[in-house]
Amino acid sequence: MPLRSLLTLSYGFFLTIIVTCACLFSASPANSTKNRVDRVTTTVNGRIDLCLSCHDERPDKAHAREILGCAICHKGNPLAGDELRAHRGMVLNPGELQYADETCGQTGCHPREVKWVKNSLMATNRGIISTLRYYWGETDDHNESISVARIRAGHMKSPALDYYRKMCGSCHLSMKRHSLPGFLAEKGGGCTACHLRKPPVGQNKKGVAHIQITRNIPMSNCIKCHNRSGRIGLSYQGKFESEGYGTPYQDGGLSHLELIDGRFFQKMQPDIHYEKGLICIDCHTQKEVMGNGTSYPHFEDQLQVKCISCHTNNKNLEILARQRATRTNRSWTPDMTAPPLLNIKKTMENAFVLEGKRDKRPYPLKPPDPTSCKNPVHKRLSCQACHSRWVPQCYGCHVRDDRSQYQLDKLDNIETPGRWQEYRSFMRFESPALGVLKEKNTAGEEIVLLVPG
């Protein structure tokens, strides 16, 4: 054996002996033996991680403990031989945006995605904040560059921002998971806000569960936040928020149809895509949700998928199916103009289907009706203007601020003076109102639905 190999092997063996001794005898004599490791544990690539000696939790396959270990995500000190020192500096949820650069975003993992997410609308809330300030007369620009982080760092104060902090401030990714009370505790958490799924029952012999991370995001994660304002998550499932007071009553009592935050609802006809089995991620792509690193002012600037992305002619579907098969459009243009990477496939019968990302089912794609959809008279109409079965409509909406009371500031997690209350005259779901949307930088106009928010 070459001398260099012998020296390397000897050094590695010597280092293992040193680490073993240090780990086994570094604990304070006052510590009980249960807080000291009795063996050296390593990952498959030889990285020493003594966390594996005590922890039996098993994450998902992509983050397998045998390969990654614990400390590469949760930090702490993997070489410490006692519990106290091992847990010092540990991160319970590596997905939190404040840690993401060092955890999820470290080299070899997801550095690009962390940058995208930090600039996405779900992290910055830029459109919500700037539009709110614009309509409240606090700024002349509803596209202003503003974010949750900027509000916190600059200690900006105004009535509109106070309203945002107390009524809207729980729906952004930079909020720490489990920091707020009640049902709000499940919101936030950075990467895990979307990618978390419940661990399987009976995960290991000790009954200790570890959270599971998935790319196939369940729709329930999306609806934790997307259930207010335009209420898109509720409408998609056919849930109409009722007038309140438990109506419509059942047998003289309150309705059993109640949302987690106490709002009552009644069942309506759901969206056709929901009826067929499609969930949010089947249509909304990675770059739409996570962004592409650019901070956009409004959601329509970050969106790319439209109805005609799937409901188009076979020529366009052929292009999309080929791109999906070869992954040729991975390099997205900064202005999001590249075609969306949808799971469109061509069948043996030369038909085109959208494959569900979770259930892998093929969903047939129907082209637009040539008589109605392609009629020149309907050129200005958006698809939703005709195809939406119903849309929630609020009338007489207004808010009141009672400065004699206190309310939870969801950004700083403290109660501050001023309590906001929302009022409305009534809600309806009849034929929705239509309006004209003037697109930016174009001469065209589009007739769209007017929805709350």
Side-chain angles (χ1 to χ4, degrees):
M1 182 180 292
L3 179 60
R4 178 175 295 180
S5 299
L6 284 172
L7 290 174
T8 303
L9 181 62
S10 301
Y11 176 76
F13 178 75
F14 180 66
L15 180 62
T16 300
I17 294 297
I18 292 177
V19 172
T20 302
C21 295
C23 295
L24 294 180
F25 300 105
S26 61
S28 167
N31 288 343
S32 63
T33 56
K34 70 177 182 179
N35 289 332
R36 293 165 53 183
V37 300
D38 56 2
R39 59 192 174 92
V40 174
T41 50
T42 61
T43 62
V44 293
N45 61 357
R47 183 188 298 111
I48 296 175
D49 193 324
L50 300 184
C51 310
L52 299 171
S53 303
C54 299
H55 290 275
D56 192 46
E57 296 93 331
R58 293 185 176 275
D60 50 278
K61 292 182 179 179
H63 301 87
R65 56 181 274 126
E66 295 84 2
I67 299 175
L68 296 180
C70 300
I72 194 170
C73 294
H74 291 283
K75 300 176 73 68
N77 185 355
L79 301 180
D82 64 276
E83 180 180 350
L84 180 63
R85 292 192 304 115
H87 287 186
R88 189 173 297 150
M90 192 187 81
V91 173
L92 180 62
N93 178 13
E96 301 283 0
L97 291 192
Q98 65 185 105
Y99 311 122
D101 287 325
E102 301 174 10
T103 54
C104 305
Q106 61 185 292
T107 303
C109 295
H110 315 285
R112 294 183 309 161
E113 288 80 354
V114 169
K115 178 185 177 183
W116 295 341
V117 167
K118 285 191 171 184
N119 286 282
S120 71
L121 287 167
M122 289 200 295
T124 65
N125 276 191
R126 178 180 171 184
I128 297 174
I129 301 171
S130 63
T131 301
L132 185 65
R133 280 170 42 82
Y134 176 75
Y135 282 116
W136 285 40
E138 296 180 1
T139 178
D140 295 329
D141 182 14
H142 73 285
N143 298 315
E144 67 176 332
S145 180
I146 196 169
S147 65
V148 175
R150 182 182 166 193
I151 294 175
R152 279 175 164 167
H155 304 290
M156 299 175 65
K157 301 292 184 182
S158 74
L161 293 179
D162 189 61
Y163 175 85
Y164 168 80
R165 284 172 169 269
K166 295 175 179 177
M167 302 299 288
C168 318
S170 65
C171 289
H172 59 89
L173 299 182
S174 56
M175 185 183 72
K176 189 175 181 180
R177 190 174 179 83
H178 294 143
S179 62
L180 296 181
F183 71 93
L184 298 175
E186 297 302 314
K187 295 186 178 184
C191 306
T192 51
C194 298
H195 291 281
L196 173 71
R197 68 178 176 88
K198 293 181 179 179
V201 179
Q203 190 181 40
N204 55 45
K205 60 184 179 180
K206 294 182 180 180
V208 179
H210 190 286
I211 66 169
Q212 305 287 292
I213 301 298
T214 179
R215 294 176 62 185
N216 295 324
I217 300 169
M219 191 170 68
S220 57
N221 285 6
C222 308
I223 297 173
K224 286 177 183 177
C225 286
H226 295 280
N227 62 63
R228 293 273 300 180
S229 190
R231 295 164 172 81
I232 185 64
L234 300 182
S235 302
Y236 186 66
Q237 301 173 90
K239 296 179 179 180
F240 171 68
E241 182 183 341
S242 68
E243 296 288 356
Y245 314 109
T247 56
Y249 295 112
Q250 292 179 326
D251 301 324
L254 298 179
S255 169
H256 75 283
L257 300 175
E258 186 177 359
L259 300 174
I260 192 172
D261 59 1
R263 289 178 291 162
F264 293 94
F265 70 91
Q266 56 191 101
K267 291 182 178 179
M268 303 285 291
Q269 193 169 16
D271 188 281
I272 184 64
H273 300 86
Y274 181 79
E275 284 185 337
K276 296 296 183 181
L278 291 165
I279 60 174
C280 306
I281 61 171
D282 289 327
C283 293
H284 294 292
T285 63
Q286 179 192 51
K287 290 293 182 66
E288 274 197 341
V289 177
M290 300 172 65
N292 65 346
T294 301
S295 176
Y296 292 103
H298 303 288
F299 78 92
E300 60 267 25
D301 300 311
Q302 191 168 306
L303 287 177
Q304 188 183 40
V305 175
K306 297 182 179 180
C307 303
I308 57 174
S309 298
C310 287
H311 300 286
T312 183
N313 57 54
N314 284 352
K315 181 180 178 181
N316 291 334
L317 291 175
E318 181 79 51
I319 296 173
L320 292 174
R322 192 180 305 118
Q323 288 180 335
R324 189 266 181 193
T326 59
R327 303 287 178 175
T328 54
N329 70 339
R330 279 297 189 185
S331 299
W332 286 52
T333 54
D335 59 356
M336 307 278 283
T337 56
L341 190 60
L342 296 167
N343 276 11
I344 295 176
K345 289 185 174 182
K346 189 175 183 179
T347 68
M348 298 295 292
E349 295 78 21
N350 290 325
F352 293 94
V353 298
L354 177 70
E355 183 184 78
K357 292 181 181 176
R358 283 178 64 88
D359 59 18
K360 305 303 179 183
R361 285 174 50 195
Y363 295 92
L365 298 176
K366 297 181 179 180
D369 183 270
T371 303
S372 56
C373 298
K374 293 296 184 179
N375 194 309
V377 177
H378 296 158
K379 185 177 181 180
R380 295 172 63 212
L381 286 170
S382 65
C383 299
Q384 298 90 338
C386 294
H387 289 280
S388 291
R389 298 174 175 180
W390 60 274
V391 174
Q393 295 285 306
C394 298
Y395 295 92
C397 297
H398 60 278
V399 296
R400 182 177 68 186
D401 181 24
D402 186 348
R403 304 307 297 178
S404 67
Q405 300 188 47
Y406 283 72
Q407 192 172 9
L408 180 65
D409 181 324
K410 296 179 178 66
L411 296 191
D412 294 336
N413 199 16
I414 57 173
E415 296 235 343
T416 60
R419 181 175 185 83
W420 293 93
Q421 293 177 289
E422 295 178 329
Y423 297 90
R424 63 179 179 234
S425 299
F426 53 86
M427 285 193 71
R428 291 291 183 267
F429 53 84
E430 284 88 356
S431 299
L434 299 178
V436 177
L437 175 66
K438 295 183 178 180
E439 294 285 352
K440 295 187 303 182
N441 304 323
T442 66
E445 295 180 343
E446 186 179 25
I447 297 176
V448 299
L449 295 176
L450 298 182
V451 296

